[in-house]
């Protein structure tokens, strides 16, 4: 996330960068005009303060929003020992490729769901806003 933030600092444009943007289900409900509290399956068992969603970076421009989820792909599927690190004979981390592929797919799917939910929230506030989203 630090590298992404540093890269955003270098962009010469007028926008606001919000890092680690979080919102609750109650806040989401307030923005969603179609939400009906009674009978909402997403409200069941939730308290107003329950976190509904988040994104690593939310960039707001005049007529656009950019949602960025940052994932550490390098550590996915790294074989670990009890102490947290297993080094092979060449001094590099041993990577289980199948485990890494599975973890990557799960991470990307979760990231996509988070970004879609954030896009829904933005469109509840301004339906004409152009929203782009990325996983970095």
């Amino acid at each position: 996330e630090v590298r992404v933030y540093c890269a955003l600092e270098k962009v010469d444009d007028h926008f606001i960068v919000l890092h680690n943007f979080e919102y609750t289900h109650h806040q989401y409900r307030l923005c969603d005009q179609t939400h009906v509290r009674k009978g909402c399956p997403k409200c069941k068992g939730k308290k107003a303060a329950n976190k509904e969603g988040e994104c690593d970076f939310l960039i707001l421009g005049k007529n656009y929003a950019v949602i960025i989820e940052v994932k550490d792909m390098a550590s996915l599927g790294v074989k670990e020992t009890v102490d947290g690190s297993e080094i092979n004979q060449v001094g590099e981390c041993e990577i289980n490729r199948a485990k890494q592929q599975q973890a990557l797919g799960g991470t990307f799917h979760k990231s996509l769901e988070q970004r879609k939910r954030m896009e829904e929230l933005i469109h509840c506030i301004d339906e004409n806003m152009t929203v782009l989203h990325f996983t970095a």
Side-chain angles (χ1 to χ4, degrees):
E1 291 181 27
V2 172
R3 282 203 235 163
V4 172
Y5 186 81
C6 289
L8 290 170
E9 280 187 319
K10 295 176 184 177
V11 176
D12 187 25
D13 202 356
H14 300 286
F15 55 80
I16 297 170
V17 176
L18 302 172
H19 177 253
N20 197 27
F21 183 80
E22 297 180 348
Y23 59 94
T24 65
H25 185 67
H26 179 70
Q27 291 167 324
Y28 184 84
R29 275 193 345 229
L30 293 174
C31 294
D32 185 356
Q33 301 296 317
T34 64
H35 185 272
V36 179
R37 185 171 183 189
K38 293 190 189 253
C40 172
K42 292 180 181 177
C43 285
K44 213 170 203 157
K46 287 194 176 181
K47 295 182 175 145
N50 282 88
K51 184 171 96 169
E52 177 75 12
E54 61 88 25
C55 68
D56 293 326
F57 292 96
L58 177 58
I59 302 165
L60 301 170
K62 186 174 181 175
N63 298 314
Y64 66 91
V66 179
I67 304 162
I68 301 175
E69 280 296 314
V70 179
K71 301 297 176 195
D72 182 9
M73 302 302 185
S75 66
L76 290 176
V78 174
K79 189 175 179 184
E80 297 179 356
T81 60
V82 178
D83 71 352
S85 63
E86 181 169 308
I87 306 299
N88 66 18
Q89 291 151 343
V90 244
E92 298 174 358
C93 290
E94 188 174 314
I95 297 175
N96 178 329
R97 294 290 177 204
K99 186 177 177 183
Q100 187 178 43
Q101 289 270 337
Q102 184 180 14
L104 180 59
T107 298
F108 183 78
H109 180 71
K110 182 179 176 187
S111 171
L112 181 61
E113 291 302 315
Q114 289 174 336
R115 289 180 284 131
K116 283 181 180 178
R117 191 77 171 147
M118 183 64 67
E119 183 175 8
E120 289 173 11
L121 176 65
I122 292 167
H123 281 143
C124 286
I125 297 167
D126 183 351
E127 63 186 27
N128 297 316
M129 177 81 70
T130 299
V131 180
L132 305 169
H133 44 92
F134 304 94
T135 298

